[in-house]
């Protein structure tokens, strides 16, 4: 699997603390499965990103059915609903603001998340929000499943071509489901 | 009265000359003794005067920082890594550093408008005299609401504006000093200072715009200001073409005057880009608006201009390089943007013209606007003759160029929006240019793709060339900037706005750094116009609003009137005309609610925050000026929504609707502290999508003071937009429905059920006479 740290946007250079590359998809799946309170955060680019399931919305629905909390940002919850799936909805800014709050009890009121997995965002927006959380929510683990390396996550996929990324996402999702 | 002037009042004086009673001696300016409004508590506020007000807002709307850079590189101790809990060598934290950068950005923005205003005012004082009376708008007594509010003065003549500007300049120096290493250390105090910079910015913008309105006879608040033409197609390229770029209209005014004085207007085309274009069209509607800032490079590359005149702000700093390639001379006209050119201000005009038409020089700096007028017109006529046949994109066949594309993806990674340039190039290799042409409307025109390209493809030119046929024929009508809102209009709409019956006032302003093209701006404007919001606009956004037509070929300026009333589309003008937007909110407090403006900032801001459902939308905000304009809105309690690129301003001001304790106000009737719900929920917010922004703006229009009817109207829009775009009812209705009467009638059953499920209790949310200021409580219970 790609270990390239080519940035999705050339000038979005990270600071001294950079994300580790996820060496293989099974590692990401294991981290998600091991987390006590994981949250999959799905951005507004999701319908434009093809996966083996169709697009990222379809894949996120599959993950959601596996019991992992999913939150749609932007107006994406409407897309989930149109496909018959109910997930949480919260604007990205509100979510970032709450994820840094140690007292926030989560979208379901059951407690703080220990892992946030981001996918489906424009590169710079994910970069920025993760950099806010990197400094101001230091006990939150962040994984980026972006197709381009996201340096401000704790762990990020390496940069890869669309076809390879589809495979990787599929392996991650199937590995998560196998454990359930 | 200026603080540096002296006023001495003596009840009785006995001297060898006799006894004098009621003696008043003034040195400097004449005190405005006819102004009956009492002086408020904060005339000419210093950096810390309004700190307690700012902190009230910042306690609700806590900064959420998204560092654009983890380092501080501002002193030689550094670079310092501030990630996490680390501190810099000076002790600064990440939060402190981010807020410091916000302040620096706001200082840059406010200084830019202030310098613009100073240049404008100094010139106009020289041209029109110090006693030139201010005539800002028809049917208007409150000529300068920002100046009255902040400075506590009522300017009557041009010279009175100097007092306001002197004050702004003094304060800006203080603010910049606060950013020095080892000064301010607290992030909230940095934020307060950023608010101060924003407030100053609106004073400076007001000075700039009302001085030019009053002397240059720009529209004086007429709702139906004239229509002008916008777009490439508005320019007759067969004539000599002068292209003016920037924000300061003075040189352009003298070009227009010279054309008129010499009966050359029909023979020479003059068009502008960015805010100069707005103000040129306000001066003479025959001057054309070529387009927003994002078109700068494309239009130059199109080869259409025969002469480029730049003034200040938002210029491409490589304009000389681009112009040289085409043999187009450049005239720089501002000390702030000399472009390396020789200063020819004191040279004979005909000598300068000769040097430019022969190509002996590729540009000059001329700081005298009158000389700019003469030299520009004579030069363009001479140069145009030599450029015949060159008015087109001077590039090879697109497919031949595309063949050298290596598909390395450098361009895509350099693009702010990661546009699929490589895919378009691959199609172009096969002779299919549709994908390239499709990028035209999405491209922000920054040309970072070209800088990144290892084979130096002229990507912007290729995109423009692929879309050339559409571009050159596009003409859109645009109502020119009308300037201020008339007092009589405020009287008409003050009540429905404050009671909430007009669902909101949306100000769509700012630059053209859009995530997916300018059409989104027009789409958002129309959504709110249909819903009978008042839509104000300015700058590049006002241009992009013009550039979308419906199936009948009409654009929004043709479909919606220009009045400041429900369903009105009000183009106020250029960047500096944004002061009229905050001015309108201030005037509502003054004219409708009879609140005194004079040096009375906190009370008026408190009024606007709790009562006036105004929201700013800067979908393509790019500049530091946009940051300071927004900061001026925040201090007045007006929320601002930006597009996703606006997150790069690196901090949001976000409320927490789930924390009830954050949303209490005093009831001014009895002093009781009551819960009013999260209205408005945020003060500065970046939306990821257009749809999210639409829903958020509708929500942010709610205010604690809304009447039941007004809240029902606002809720109906919020719910309708939410259902349309989110596919469901909002999940926070229990935070906004105060009483059953707030519920939109047609949705009653559905909403009541939702409220019951949420455990809603009637009257938990109060409808007080809301204020955040303890001193505004009239009587204690």
């Amino acid at each position: 699997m790609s270990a390239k740290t080519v940035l999705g946007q050339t000038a979005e250079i990270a600071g001294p603390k950079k994300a580790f590359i996820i060496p293989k998809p099974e590692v990401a799946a294991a981290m998600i499965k091991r987390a006590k309170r994981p949250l999959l955060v799905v951005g507004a680019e999701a319908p434009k990103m093809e996966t083996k399931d169709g697009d990222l919305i379809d894949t996120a629905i599959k993950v959601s059915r596996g019991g992992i909390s999913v939150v749609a940002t932007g107006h994406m919850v409407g897309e989930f609903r149109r496909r018959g799936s109910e997930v949480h909805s919260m604007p990205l800014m509100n979510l970032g603001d709450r994820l840094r709050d140690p007292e926030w009890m989560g979208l379901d009121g059951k407690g703080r998340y220990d892992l946030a997995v981001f996918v489906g965002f424009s590169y710079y927006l994910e970069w920025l929000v993760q950099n806010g959380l990197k400094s101001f929510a230091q006990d939150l683990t962040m994984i980026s499943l972006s197709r381009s390396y996201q340096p401000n996550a704790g762990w990020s996929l390496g940069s890869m071509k669309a076809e390879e990324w589809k495979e990787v996402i599929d392996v991650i999702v199937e590995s998560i489901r196998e454990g359930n | 009265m200026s603080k540096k002037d002296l006023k001495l009042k003596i009840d009785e004086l006995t001297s060898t000359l006799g006894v004098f009673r009621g003696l008043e001696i003034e040195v400097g300016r004449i005190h405005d003794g006819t102004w009956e409004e009492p002086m408020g508590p904060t005339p000419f506020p210093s950096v810390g005067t309004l700190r307690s007000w700012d902190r009230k807002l910042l306690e609700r709307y806590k900064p959420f920082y998204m560092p654009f850079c983890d380092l501080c590189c501002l002193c030689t101790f550094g670079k310092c890594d501030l990630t996490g809990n680390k501190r810099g060598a000076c002790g600064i934290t990440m939060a402190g550093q981010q807020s410091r950068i916000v302040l620096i950005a706001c200082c840059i923005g406010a200084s830019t408008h202030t310098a613009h205003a100073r240049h404008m005012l100094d010139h106009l004082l020289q041209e029109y005299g110090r006693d030139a009376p201010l005539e800002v708008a028809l049917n208007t007594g409150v000529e300068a609401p920002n100046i009255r509010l902040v400075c506590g003065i009522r300017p009557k003549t041009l010279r009175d504006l100097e007092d306001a500007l002197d004050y702004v300049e003094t304060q800006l120096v203080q603010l910049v000093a606060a950013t020095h290493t080892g000064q301010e250390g607290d992030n909230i105090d940095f934020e307060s200072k950023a608010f101060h910079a924003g407030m100053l910015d609106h004073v400076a913008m007001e000075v700039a715009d009302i001085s030019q309105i009053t002397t240059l006879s720009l529209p004086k608040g007429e709702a139906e200001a004239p229509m002008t033409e916008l777009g490439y197609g508005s320019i007759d390229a067969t004539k000599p073409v002068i292209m003016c770029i920037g924000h300061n209209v003075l040189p352009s005014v003298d070009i227009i005057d010279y054309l008129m004085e010499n009966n050359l207007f029909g023979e020479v085309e003059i068009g502008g880009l960015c805010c100069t274009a707005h103000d040129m069209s306000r001066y003479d509607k025959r001057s054309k608006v070529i387009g927003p800032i994002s078109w700068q490079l494309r239009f130059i590359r199109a080869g259409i201009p025969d002469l480029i005149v730049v003034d200040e702000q938002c210029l491409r700093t490589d304009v000389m390089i681009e112009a040289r390639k085409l043999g187009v001379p450049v005239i720089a006209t501002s000390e702030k943007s000399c472009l390396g050119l020789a200063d020819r201000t004191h040279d004979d005009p005909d000598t300068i013209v000769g040097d430019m038409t022969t190509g002996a020089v590729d540009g000059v700096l001329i700081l005298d606007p009158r000389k700019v007028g003469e030299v520009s017109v004579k030069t363009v006529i001479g140069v145009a003759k030599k450029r015949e046949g060159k008015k087109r994109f001077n590039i090879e066949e697109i497919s031949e160029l595309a063949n050298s594309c290596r598909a390395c993806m450098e361009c895509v990674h350099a693009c702010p929006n990661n546009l699929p340039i490589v895919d378009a190039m691959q199609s172009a290799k096969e002779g299919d240019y549709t994908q390239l042409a499709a990028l035209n409307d999405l491209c922000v025109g920054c040309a970072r793709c070209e800088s990144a390209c290892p084979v130096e493809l002229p990507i912007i030119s290729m995109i423009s060339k692929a879309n050339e046929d559409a571009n050159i024929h596009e003409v859109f009508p645009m109502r020119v900037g009308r300037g201020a809102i008339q007092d009589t209009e405020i009287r008409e709409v003050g009540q429905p706005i404050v009671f909430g019956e007009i669902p909101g006032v949306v100000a769509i302003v700012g630059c053209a750094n859009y995530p997916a093209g300018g059409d989104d701006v027009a789409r958002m404007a129309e959504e709110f116009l249909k819903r009978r919001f008042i839509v104000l606009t300015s700058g590049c956004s006002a241009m992009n609003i013009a550039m979308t037509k419906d199936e009948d070929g009409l654009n929004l300026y043709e479909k919606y009137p220009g009045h400041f009333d429900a369903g009105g589309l009000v183009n106020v003008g250029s960047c500096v005309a944004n002061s009229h937007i905050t001015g309108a909110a201030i005037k509502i407090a003054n004219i409708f609610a009879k609140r005194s403006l004079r040096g009375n900032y906190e009370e008026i801001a408190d009024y606007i925050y709790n009562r006036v459902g105004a929201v700013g939308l800067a979908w393509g905000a790019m500049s530091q000026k946009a940051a300071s304009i927004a900061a001026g809105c925040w201090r007045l309690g007006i929320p601002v929504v930006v597009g996703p690129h606006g997150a790069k301003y690196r901090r949001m001001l976000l409320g927490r609707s789930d924390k009830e304790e954050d949303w209490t106000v005093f009831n001014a009737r009895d002093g009781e502290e009551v819960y009013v719900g999260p209205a408005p929920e945020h003060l500065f917010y970046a939306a990821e999508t257009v749809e999210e922004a639409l829903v958020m703006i509708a929500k942010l229009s709610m205010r604690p003071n809304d009447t039941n009817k007004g809240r029902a109207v606002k809720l109906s829009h919020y719910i309708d937009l939410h259902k349309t775009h989110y596919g469901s009812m909002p999940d926070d209705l229990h935070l906004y429905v105060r009483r059953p009467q707030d519920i939109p009638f047609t949705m009653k059953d559905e909403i009541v059920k939702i409220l019951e499920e949420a455990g809603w209790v009637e009257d938990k949310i109060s409808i007080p006479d809301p204020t955040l200021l303890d001193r505004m409580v009239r009587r204690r219970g």
Side-chain angles (χ1 to χ4, degrees):
Chain A
M1 201 175 86
S2 170
K4 287 181 184 169
T5 56
V6 177
L7 299 170
Q9 289 188 311
T10 313
E12 303 293 359
I13 305 290
K17 185 179 175 186
K18 298 181 194 66
F20 295 107
I21 288 269
I22 296 168
K24 52 185 184 174
E26 291 81 2
V27 172
M31 289 174 73
I32 295 167
K33 282 196 285 190
R34 206 165 49 233
K36 289 179 185 151
R37 290 271 293 155
L39 179 67
L40 177 63
V41 187
V42 181
E45 298 296 308
K48 299 176 197 164
M49 301 175 81
E50 285 181 25
T51 65
K52 287 195 160 185
D53 304 299
D55 63 25
L56 254 181
I57 301 282
D58 297 317
T59 303
I61 289 171
K62 197 194 253 186
V63 172
S64 165
R65 287 179 182 148
I68 289 176
S69 284
V70 174
V71 59
T73 65
H75 65 293
M76 280 304 107
V77 71
E79 199 57 44
F80 281 89
R81 286 189 176 122
R82 273 187 283 281
R83 302 184 197 187
S85 177
E86 278 295 325
V87 297
H88 297 290
S89 174
M90 184 170 275
L92 182 61
M93 293 299 119
N94 286 12
L95 183 67
D97 192 29
R98 282 159 174 76
L99 284 172
R100 67 168 172 158
D101 176 2
E103 294 176 8
W104 185 50
M105 295 301 286
L107 291 150
D108 52 8
K110 292 179 181 170
R112 197 170 186 222
Y113 301 105
D114 58 347
L115 175 70
V117 183
F118 291 79
V119 70
F121 289 92
S122 56
Y123 187 79
Y124 60 90
L125 199 55
E126 181 176 343
W127 194 104
L128 281 161
V129 171
Q130 287 177 351
N131 212 25
L133 295 172
K134 183 171 82 177
S135 275
F136 298 104
Q138 292 174 52
D139 54 351
L140 175 72
T141 301
M142 288 184 287
I143 292 178
S144 175
L145 300 182
S146 166
R147 196 156 73 75
S148 297
Y149 173 69
Q150 280 286 0
N152 295 319
W155 293 82
S156 173
L157 295 178
S159 302
M160 61 187 82
K161 292 192 187 306
E163 286 307 312
E164 186 186 0
W165 181 78
K166 281 186 201 174
E167 291 288 339
V168 167
I169 293 294
D170 191 55
V171 173
I172 292 171
V173 171
E174 292 307 319
S175 300
I176 294 170
R177 283 157 58 88
E178 280 166 18
N180 289 325
Chain B
M1 193 179 79
S2 167
K3 290 198 294 184
K4 65 191 175 191
D5 299 327
L6 173 70
K7 181 182 180 188
L8 184 66
K9 189 174 180 183
I10 301 168
D11 289 337
E12 186 172 313
L13 174 68
T14 304
S15 77
T16 53
L17 295 172
V19 178
F20 299 90
R21 290 194 176 85
L23 179 67
E24 290 187 27
I25 300 169
E26 297 194 22
V27 178
R29 302 292 158 79
I30 304 300
H31 176 68
D32 184 1
T34 61
W35 195 6
E36 290 175 356
E37 231 175 69
M39 181 61 86
T42 60
F44 293 107
S46 65
V47 170
T49 306
L50 296 167
R51 184 170 176 253
S52 65
W53 167 251
D54 298 336
R55 283 183 168 261
K56 286 183 204 307
L57 293 174
L58 291 160
E59 278 168 20
R60 276 191 177 186
Y61 305 103
K62 293 184 174 61
F64 171 47
Y65 296 109
M66 295 173 284
F68 212 17
C69 175
D70 291 344
L71 310 179
C72 175
C73 321
L74 289 176
C75 82
T76 64
F77 280 134
K79 305 174 181 177
C80 292
D81 173 18
L82 304 175
T83 313
N85 298 327
K86 292 178 183 167
R87 293 179 179 222
C90 66
I92 202 160
T93 62
M94 180 65 93
Q97 176 66 6
Q98 297 311 305
S99 53
R100 184 184 181 200
I101 299 290
V102 170
L103 172 58
I104 290 170
C106 290
C107 285
I108 294 171
S111 298
T112 305
H113 285 138
T114 304
H116 175 180
R118 175 59 74 186
H119 181 251
M120 176 74 64
L121 185 60
D122 283 352
H123 178 80
L124 296 175
L125 282 165
Q126 208 172 13
E127 291 276 316
Y128 296 89
R130 303 173 70 75
D131 296 325
L134 293 181
E135 293 169 3
V136 177
L138 304 170
N139 308 311
T140 293
V142 184
E143 72 302 298
N146 277 284
I147 295 170
R148 285 186 179 207
L149 177 65
V150 175
C151 304
I153 61 173
R154 182 172 62 168
K156 289 181 174 173
T157 62
L158 274 187
R159 64 177 263 175
D160 294 337
L161 297 177
E162 283 192 297
D163 290 338
L165 215 46
D166 288 348
Y167 157 73
V168 170
E169 288 166 340
T170 306
Q171 289 298 300
L172 281 172
V173 174
Q174 300 291 320
L175 290 175
V176 174
T179 67
H180 190 274
T181 301
Q183 293 261 37
E184 189 57 80
D186 180 77
N187 69 304
I188 298 300
D189 272 316
F190 270 125
E191 298 289 353
S192 168
K193 289 175 172 66
F195 283 20
H196 195 62
M199 180 195 72
L200 299 170
D201 190 22
H202 285 256
V203 171
M205 289 191 293
E206 194 168 86
V207 169
D209 209 46
I210 67 177
S211 62
Q212 66 180 3
I213 288 171
T214 203
T215 53
L216 303 178
S217 299
L218 309 189
K220 292 183 166 55
E222 291 98 335
E224 293 307 322
M227 289 283 192
T228 188
E229 288 183 345
L230 181 151
Y232 281 34
S234 68
I235 299 288
D236 181 352
T238 63
K239 296 177 183 174
V241 177
I242 303 173
M243 173 188 183
C244 301
I245 315 173
H247 285 68
N248 188 330
V249 77
L250 289 174
S252 310
V253 160
D254 277 293
I255 297 171
I256 293 170
D257 285 351
Y258 190 87
L259 288 171
M260 287 197 289
E261 285 160 12
N262 294 278
N263 292 319
L264 290 167
F265 220 116
E267 294 176 37
V268 174
E269 282 283 79
I270 177 164
L273 265 150
C274 215
C275 281
T276 284
H278 270 299
D279 289 342
M280 288 162 64
S281 69
R282 293 165 83 188
Y283 185 65
D284 190 314
K285 67 171 185 175
R286 290 175 295 175
S287 71
K288 311 291 173 49
V289 178
I290 295 166
I293 181 174
S294 50
W295 286 23
Q296 200 170 147
L297 196 54
R298 289 185 235 174
F299 194 74
I300 295 172
R301 296 261 184 97
I304 297 172
D306 298 297
L307 174 71
I308 297 171
V309 178
V310 297
D311 48 79
E312 59 173 294
Q313 305 164 46
C314 301
L315 315 170
R316 282 199 65 91
T317 53
D318 57 359
V319 65
M320 284 304 304
I321 298 168
E322 293 293 332
R324 258 182 219 125
K325 288 179 193 167
L326 298 166
V328 175
V330 175
I331 300 179
T333 61
S334 167
E335 286 178 320
K336 281 164 275 183
S337 178
C338 298
L339 302 176
L341 297 168
D343 185 356
R344 304 286 296 272
T345 306
H346 303 293
D347 286 5
D348 172 59
D350 290 326
T351 308
I352 305 172
V353 172
D355 286 350
M356 291 215 281
T357 49
T358 59
V361 297
D362 49 17
V364 295
L365 172 68
I366 305 176
L367 299 173
D368 173 3
R370 280 190 188 277
K371 194 169 282 183
V372 172
E374 180 182 352
V375 171
S376 297
V377 174
K378 288 180 174 175
T379 301
V380 81
I381 290 170
V383 170
K385 285 179 192 154
K386 298 169 70 174
R387 293 195 69 252
E388 280 174 9
K390 295 181 180 174
K391 293 201 170 194
R392 56 185 176 76
F393 280 104
N394 187 24
I395 60 172
E396 302 161 51
E397 279 301 309
I398 294 175
S399 60
E400 287 174 27
L401 285 164
N403 273 331
S404 62
C405 173
R406 298 178 191 164
C408 67
M409 295 294 285
E410 290 291 331
C411 54
V412 177
H413 292 153
C415 174
N417 291 318
N418 290 125
L419 292 177
I421 301 165
V422 168
D423 293 347
M425 289 293 175
Q426 302 318 302
S427 295
K429 285 180 184 177
E430 309 301 321
D432 175 4
Y433 306 145
T434 51
Q435 287 191 54
L436 265 182
L439 296 179
N440 187 72
D441 291 343
L442 303 174
C443 170
V444 295
C446 70
R448 285 196 333 211
C449 51
E450 293 186 0
S451 293
C453 180
V455 293
E456 299 181 353
L457 284 174
I459 298 167
I460 297 287
S461 300
M462 293 169 75
I463 291 170
S464 299
K465 181 79 178 172
N467 201 52
E468 188 175 26
D469 287 344
N471 282 346
I472 59 174
H473 294 114
E474 279 183 337
V475 185
F476 307 94
M478 184 186 78
R479 198 177 298 119
V480 306
R482 57 170 278 183
I485 310 305
Q486 298 180 26
D487 288 5
T488 45
E489 292 175 290
I490 298 288
R491 274 188 204 103
E492 289 292 318
V493 300
Q495 179 169 322
I497 289 174
V498 169
F499 289 176
E501 290 151 13
I502 287 179
V505 181
V506 183
I508 303 179
V509 303
C511 333
N513 188 21
Y514 305 122
D519 288 356
D520 285 343
V521 178
R523 183 179 148 210
M524 287 192 271
E526 181 146 39
E527 183 69 61
F528 290 111
L529 287 164
K530 283 180 184 169
R531 293 174 181 276
R532 306 281 293 161
F533 283 60
I534 301 175
V535 176
L536 295 141
T537 187
S538 66
C540 289
S541 293
M543 298 182 193
N544 284 106
I545 280 175
M547 292 161 59
T548 299
K549 293 180 178 176
D550 66 11
E551 59 275 15
D552 298 322
L554 298 175
N555 77 359
L556 297 183
Y557 289 106
E558 294 171 295
K559 286 159 63 176
Y560 294 92
H563 59 200
F564 187 75
D565 203 341
L569 175 58
V570 184
N571 176 15
V572 291
S574 58
C575 273
V576 289
N578 282 315
S579 56
H580 304 307
I581 296 175
T582 48
I586 293 166
K587 290 209 290 188
I588 288 170
N590 179 234
I591 294 168
F592 166 68
K594 312 288 184 203
R595 303 285 183 113
S596 171
L597 291 191
R598 193 175 187 182
N600 194 24
Y601 194 94
E602 275 187 339
E603 182 182 337
I604 296 300
D606 182 59
Y607 183 92
I608 293 169
Y609 173 66
N610 282 299
R611 289 169 174 79
V612 180
V615 183
L617 170 64
W619 193 244
M622 169 278 292
S623 69
Q624 296 87 21
K625 292 189 299 166
S628 61
I629 292 168
C633 293
W634 303 329
R635 195 175 232 186
L636 281 172
I638 300 172
V640 176
V641 174
V642 287
H645 284 295
K648 296 173 190 170
Y649 285 116
R650 71 198 74 201
R651 75 100 172 77
M652 300 287 113
L653 297 171
L654 302 174
R656 283 287 297 270
S657 59
D658 54 331
K659 295 195 169 186
E660 282 188 16
E661 65 274 19
D662 286 354
W663 305 101
T664 61
V665 301
F666 295 112
N667 186 346
R669 296 185 201 104
D670 57 13
E672 188 185 355
E673 201 169 346
V674 294
Y675 173 66
V676 290
E681 185 180 354
H682 302 302
L683 208 50
F684 188 45
Y685 175 91
E688 195 181 347
T689 65
V690 167
E691 293 80 2
E692 179 188 341
L694 292 172
V695 174
M696 184 56 74
I697 289 167
K699 182 157 75 163
L700 292 177
S701 300
M702 287 188 263
R703 292 293 181 279
N705 191 65
D706 295 338
T707 59
N708 297 127
K709 185 181 168 190
R711 181 59 63 93
V713 169
K714 292 183 181 187
L715 277 171
S716 67
H717 292 294
Y718 171 46
I719 293 168
D720 186 50
L721 282 163
H722 198 282
K723 285 173 90 168
T724 301
H725 298 300
Y726 287 67
S728 70
M729 295 288 278
D731 61 3
D732 56 1
L733 288 176
H734 59 290
L735 304 178
Y736 295 102
V737 176
R738 301 160 301 178
R739 293 176 186 164
Q741 298 94 312
D742 286 348
I743 300 173
F745 185 73
T746 54
M747 308 175 189
K748 195 160 191 173
D749 293 344
E750 200 176 0
I751 293 175
V752 165
K753 189 171 170 228
I754 289 170
L755 293 176
E756 283 172 0
E757 287 169 5
W760 177 81
V761 179
E762 184 176 348
D763 282 338
K764 179 183 175 185
I765 308 171
S766 296
I767 311 179
D769 181 357
T771 178
L772 298 183
L773 302 171
D774 186 60
R775 67 181 170 83
M776 295 307 297
V777 174
R778 295 191 294 275
R779 193 179 59 190
R780 301 286 168 188

